[in-house]
Amino acid sequence: MTYELAWIAGAAGLTLPALKRRLELSRAKHPSLAGHSRTAKRLARWIPGYAYDEATFYACDGAPDTVAQQRRAGFFALAGRLQAKAPQSIALTKAAREGLPDLRFTGAYRVPYQFSPYLRQHLQVGGFVQASEGVSVTDLDGNRYIDLTGSYGVNVMGMDFYKSCIAAGARIAQDLGPVLGAYHPCVADNVARLQQISGLDAVSFHMSGTEAVMQAVRLARYHTGKRHLVRFCGAYHGWWEDVQPGPGNPLPPRETYTLRDMHEASLKVLRTRRDIACVLINPLQALHPNKNAPGDSTLLDSSRSAGYDRAAYTRWLQQLREVCTERGIVLIFDEVFLGFRLAARGAQEYFGVQADLVTYGKTLGGGLPVGVVCGKQALMQRFREDKPADICFARGTFNAHPYVMGAMNEFLRRLDTPEISAIYRDLDGTWDTRRERFNARMLVEGLPLQAANMSSVWTLSYTRPSRYNWMLQYYLRDHGLALSWVGTGRFIFSLNFSESDFEDMLERCVQAGLQMQRDGWWWKAPGQTNKTIKRGLLREMLRHLWR
């Protein structure tokens, strides 16, 4: 065996130890495409673009004509209701689409691409809202929707909370105005409070979570003298090159290792390689380890799944902490999304694991844009006294903007109040109980839906093989629920949901599901499974590829 390895190493231009490290790295990658970004990018270039015609749109699963006509009638009735309810919201969205690439992108990727052109032609939804109150938002036509978007993670406490934080922040900063460079006095208080929350020594301010992660990685590289970062399969850390190495990034992976989450082979890589500067952790991955964020654009069948094991993930973080300490690797907690949603001191408190650097964002700005890095003093230092030209540069015009700092100060002060402390009391128990009620009700109603949750962040899964699960997001909207463009992959609840708010949401989900079922979308052909759906899709793609 040693001879064969030596021959392979020589043929590859590697020494035996280098070949061994390369093999260990390969074993630590997840076997899915999410674990192999280069392969995923190559495959993405080969996937053919095609759209279903009207007949196939309603019967791509082999449904008989009676079911296809039932679906068609339900589809146009649904489209008519949505149009009648929100003509102004839909009209403005249509008018703004050409000038807003985000609207074009999110509109195209709400559903699997084969269905998207026909759906966009015949069924529109509005992308504008004008007011928020309690747990609801109101569109331009006066329709109120229960808000399950979470504002991409910003809305932890409820929008009324953030509106008042912004107003209080403006009062704090109004005498100074938008003076930049010098700091408003509230910055010192923010630093002190963040030191206490993070358990770390120093703080830097940025304008987004992506910027905060960029700075944390740059600091880790600067102080360790090593180039590579480790991220885990499926994890999101912003949209810049080094942390988003797969499809969506035109550049190939460079100094990034994407390893398998919660796996011994990954720990072995960390223990043996000498080129790793830092390990990035997004604790949200505990809900769907080694999978990309769930969105309805990839809901090609019903195989989407999620599940959260707090004890197992805690043990994984403890193991990472141990190996990073042993090897001098910087452990970075990316709490931009989950920070302050799990506990008042974030994921570090919740899991009982101390990081070397922590990034925050989203909700911490009290409703305004912000990114924050907290870290050990030695890691946060950006210059060397003995080598004055060797610096770690990080600036930004609007860093520590007085109005952002004022809103943050109000947020942090309120975090210490008894009212907010009460929200965190048995938070997991509250949301786990609600998820159990949701799942039990779906079973009673005969609906093929089940939810998994990590506290107040939920993912819906589907228990009956189907090509049409993505339609549910439109029935939910029809029944007054606002979802983000990723659809049923993410229900993000704010923590101000009362029991009556939750019951209202649950009842709307039931009625939406029952209407979708009556319209025939969950009809199932005899013998249809997720595997047969995938095989059929592969044959279909190959036919279009070789045309």
Side-chain angles (χ1 to χ4, degrees):
M1 185 65 178
T2 303
Y3 173 80
E4 286 85 349
L5 284 174
W7 187 89
I8 294 170
L14 299 171
T15 64
L16 268 176
L19 177 63
K20 181 174 180 288
R21 289 193 298 270
R22 181 72 62 86
L23 291 172
E24 288 172 349
L25 188 61
S26 295
R27 292 191 190 105
K29 293 182 177 181
H30 194 265
S32 68
L33 285 173
H36 293 78
S37 55
R38 289 182 186 273
T39 304
K41 284 171 67 68
R42 293 189 191 103
L43 184 61
R45 290 193 290 268
W46 279 90
I47 292 176
Y50 61 94
Y52 290 150
D53 60 19
E54 183 170 58
T56 310
F57 184 92
Y58 296 109
C60 67
D61 57 351
D65 187 60
T66 53
V67 174
Q69 291 304 317
Q70 182 183 8
R71 290 171 174 173
R72 188 180 187 280
F75 177 87
F76 279 102
L78 172 64
R81 292 194 301 271
L82 291 172
Q83 176 65 44
K85 287 177 183 176
Q88 294 182 66
S89 302
I90 290 172
L92 183 58
T93 303
K94 185 176 181 180
R97 185 171 287 117
E98 286 306 308
L100 273 175
D102 273 358
L103 274 179
R104 296 200 301 275
F105 182 86
T106 57
Y109 286 92
R110 288 180 179 271
V111 304
Y113 70 86
Q114 300 95 331
F115 298 96
S116 184
Y118 183 88
L119 182 134
R120 281 180 283 148
Q121 180 182 355
H122 296 291
L123 189 156
Q124 283 87 39
V125 295
F128 289 86
V129 291
Q130 63 178 336
S132 63
E133 182 181 11
V135 298
S136 69
V137 293
T138 303
D139 69 9
L140 308 188
D141 301 273
N143 300 301
R144 290 169 66 97
Y145 301 87
I146 295 176
D147 182 18
L148 301 179
T149 70
S151 292
Y152 296 124
V154 171
N155 185 12
V156 175
M157 302 296 180
M159 278 302 169
D160 295 325
F161 175 94
Y162 296 99
K163 288 192 283 187
S164 61
C165 281
I166 291 170
R171 289 192 295 272
I172 290 170
Q174 65 184 355
D175 289 342
L176 180 61
V179 173
L180 303 171
Y183 296 113
H184 188 283
C186 73
V187 171
D189 188 53
N190 289 346
V191 168
R193 291 174 183 274
L194 286 167
Q195 287 170 325
Q196 184 178 22
I197 286 168
S198 67
L200 295 164
D201 306 317
V203 180
S204 65
F205 297 104
H206 309 273
M207 285 307 298
S208 71
T210 291
E211 284 188 24
V213 174
M214 290 171 71
Q215 171 64 356
V217 171
R218 176 174 282 192
L219 286 167
R221 287 169 166 165
Y222 175 68
H223 287 288
T224 63
K226 298 170 184 177
R227 299 172 60 179
H228 282 78
L229 67 87
V230 165
R231 62 184 287 274
F232 290 103
C233 182
Y236 183 74
H237 298 284
W239 54 266
W240 64 286
E241 274 77 3
D242 282 9
V243 296
Q244 200 247 326
N249 179 355
L251 295 179
R254 294 177 296 185
E255 286 81 35
T256 302
Y257 295 139
T258 298
L259 303 186
R260 193 184 309 200
D261 221 348
M262 303 180 72
H263 199 276
E264 180 62 36
S266 297
L267 296 177
K268 187 171 185 179
V269 167
L270 295 176
R271 287 193 182 100
T272 55
R273 294 196 72 92
R274 299 179 179 179
D275 56 353
I276 296 172
C278 59
V279 172
L280 274 169
I281 293 292
N282 181 345
L284 184 59
Q285 286 304 110
L287 181 57
H288 41 78
N290 296 302
K291 299 174 184 175
N292 292 326
D296 285 1
S297 66
T298 58
L299 205 52
L300 301 170
D301 60 6
S302 298
S303 60
R304 183 168 77 190
S305 63
Y308 172 49
D309 185 334
R310 181 175 178 177
Y313 198 73
T314 298
R315 178 56 189 151
W316 169 242
L317 294 180
Q318 290 169 342
Q319 290 174 311
L320 288 173
R321 176 67 280 175
E322 290 167 8
V323 72
C324 285
T325 300
E326 292 169 9
R327 301 291 296 170
I329 298 169
V330 179
L331 180 62
I332 304 172
F333 271 24
D334 177 358
E335 297 198 38
V336 171
F337 186 93
L338 274 187
F340 308 101
R341 183 171 286 277
L342 301 177
R345 288 190 58 237
Q348 291 189 110
E349 175 189 350
Y350 181 81
F351 290 108
V353 176
Q354 180 74 53
D356 301 309
L357 294 170
V358 183
T359 61
Y360 302 107
K362 296 189 184 288
T363 194
L364 178 56
L368 295 180
V370 76
V372 170
V373 181
C374 297
K376 295 179 177 179
Q377 192 68 260
L379 290 172
M380 296 292 282
Q381 183 77 358
R382 301 209 298 260
F383 65 95
R384 307 184 200 279
E385 294 280 6
D386 59 335
K387 297 179 181 178
D390 184 8
I391 63 172
C392 182
F393 194 78
R395 299 297 301 157
T397 301
F398 291 103
N399 292 358
H401 190 288
Y403 284 81
V404 176
M405 292 296 101
M408 180 190 293
N409 192 247
E410 182 68 13
F411 175 90
L412 290 170
R413 288 178 181 276
R414 292 189 184 194
L415 205 59
D416 282 339
T417 63
E419 293 80 9
I420 299 300
S421 297
I423 290 175
Y424 288 114
R425 199 170 300 126
D426 195 28
L427 192 61
D428 275 7
T430 297
W431 287 102
D432 289 350
T433 299
R434 289 173 173 176
R435 181 251 304 154
E436 290 167 3
R437 279 161 48 198
F438 180 97
N439 289 343
R441 182 73 185 278
M442 296 302 132
L443 288 172
V444 167
E445 300 291 347
L447 294 173
L449 295 170
Q450 290 288 280
N453 72 304
M454 184 178 184
S455 195
S456 57
V457 180
W458 290 27
T459 290
L460 292 195
S461 298
Y462 297 85
T463 59
R464 186 182 306 160
S466 174
R467 291 291 310 276
Y468 293 99
N469 295 316
W470 48 267
M471 275 297 297
L472 180 61
Q473 61 179 289
Y474 298 100
Y475 283 91
L476 292 172
R477 188 171 187 87
D478 183 40
H479 284 80
L481 299 181
L483 275 61
S484 75
W485 68 278
V486 302
T488 59
R490 281 275 188 269
F491 281 15
I492 307 174
F493 295 91
S494 51
L495 303 187
N496 63 325
F497 260 74
S498 66
E499 287 302 305
S500 62
D501 293 330
F502 183 81
E503 282 300 321
D504 188 8
M505 185 280 307
L506 176 54
E507 188 61 34
R508 291 170 190 245
C509 285
V510 168
Q511 295 308 316
L514 291 173
Q515 183 64 59
M516 180 169 166
Q517 190 154 261
R518 285 193 296 271
D519 288 344
W521 297 105
W522 279 319
W523 173 88
K524 177 178 174 291
Q528 179 174 270
T529 65
N530 290 324
K531 185 176 288 187
T532 62
I533 290 173
K534 288 175 180 174
R535 287 174 177 169
L537 273 168
L538 180 59
R539 289 192 296 268
E540 180 181 285
M541 289 181 183
L542 289 174
R543 284 198 304 271
H544 285 276
L545 180 63
W546 299 118
R547 276 184 175 177

